[in-house]
Amino acid sequence: MSNIDSSKRSASWMVLAAICVVITCLCLAIWQYRRGVEKEALLATSDTAVLDINALPMVNNESLHGKAVMLEGRWVEGHWWLLDNQVVQSKSGFDLLLPFELSNHALIIVNVGFVPAQGLREAPSDLPSVASLTTTFTSILKTKDLKGFTLADEPDQNPTFPQLVQFIDSFFF
């Protein structure tokens, strides 16, 4: 009799564990589906028209998020930051952030792309240099969700490497 009770209890625990796994997987599936719907809505709202950034208000306007803009100005030499904890094609590294002075003298931060880390969490030694020449290019504005997921309290957590930042903070830059 005792042997039957213990097998019923273990079967009950396995059924309960299976139900918990199924519920967790369903919740994750719903979360991914909602993310996909949000992404599609964002892509649907972004039109193909390229806006002139000089004609836009230079305040943090979330309605401009995802809009294509034409940037005209020059790169600010000697200033750069590496956004930590980026992964591209299973390689860890950093996003290179550079200040760009618009033709109306406003400053913005431009993410110019991924730079792979050298060795174990070492900063790259061969960062590209930028000339202070006037240039024009098209970019996508990101005006919200700049911090993203991070465990850091401050954008700069490394006193020996101040150009390494943990998240984008416009007041910090």
Side-chain angles (χ1 to χ4, degrees), residues 3 26 29-30 72 101 106-107 153-154:
N3 206 8
L26 284 173
I30 291 169
E72 182 179 347
E101 183 180 5
L107 284 172
D153 295 328
E154 297 291 326

Side-chain angles (χ1 to χ4, degrees), residues 56-83:
L56 299 174
M58 289 310 295
V59 294
N60 191 5
N61 189 344
E62 288 189 4
S63 66
L64 298 176
H65 183 75
K67 301 289 184 187
V69 292
M70 180 66 65
L71 302 175
E72 182 179 347
R74 65 177 188 84
W75 298 105
V76 178
E77 290 183 88
H79 298 284
W80 55 272
W81 297 274
L82 293 174
L83 181 60

Side-chain angles (χ1 to χ4, degrees), residues 14-172:
M14 287 195 294
V15 169
L16 184 60
I19 290 172
C20 289
V21 168
V22 168
I23 289 173
T24 302
C25 289
L26 284 173
C27 289
L28 289 172
I30 291 169
W31 174 67
Q32 281 288 50
Y33 174 75
R34 287 182 180 160
R35 284 186 59 206
V37 168
E38 288 174 7
K39 181 76 171 190
E40 285 181 11
L42 179 64
L43 290 174
T45 59
S46 67
D47 50 15
T48 56
V50 177
L51 305 171
D52 179 11
I53 196 157
N54 292 320
L56 299 174
M58 289 310 295
V59 294
N60 191 5
N61 189 344
E62 288 189 4
S63 66
L64 298 176
H65 183 75
K67 301 289 184 187
V69 292
M70 180 66 65
L71 302 175
E72 182 179 347
R74 65 177 188 84
W75 298 105
V76 178
E77 290 183 88
H79 298 284
W80 55 272
W81 297 274
L82 293 174
L83 181 60
D84 200 6
N85 299 323
Q86 304 302 305
V87 178
V88 172
Q89 297 176 345
S90 301
K91 294 183 98 175
S92 63
F94 316 93
D95 277 348
L96 179 59
L97 307 174
L98 298 174
F100 189 76
E101 183 180 5
L102 299 171
S103 56
N104 66 3
H105 302 292
L107 284 172
I108 62 170
I109 301 298
V110 177
N111 183 341
V112 295
F114 179 76
V115 178
Q118 298 173 347
L120 184 63
R121 304 282 305 130
E122 293 177 18
S125 59
D126 56 348
L127 288 175
S129 62
V130 294
S132 180
L133 302 173
T134 300
T135 185
T136 303
F137 61 96
T138 302
S139 186
I140 305 295
L141 285 180
K142 185 168 183 181
T143 60
K144 60 182 179 178
D145 303 325
L146 295 176
K147 188 173 180 181
F149 176 76
T150 181
L151 298 175
D153 295 328
E154 297 291 326
D156 61 335
Q157 296 286 309
N158 191 337
T160 60
F161 187 27
Q163 288 88 4
L164 184 66
V165 294
Q166 299 299 316
F167 56 85
I168 298 173
D169 181 0
S170 56
F171 294 112
F172 172 77

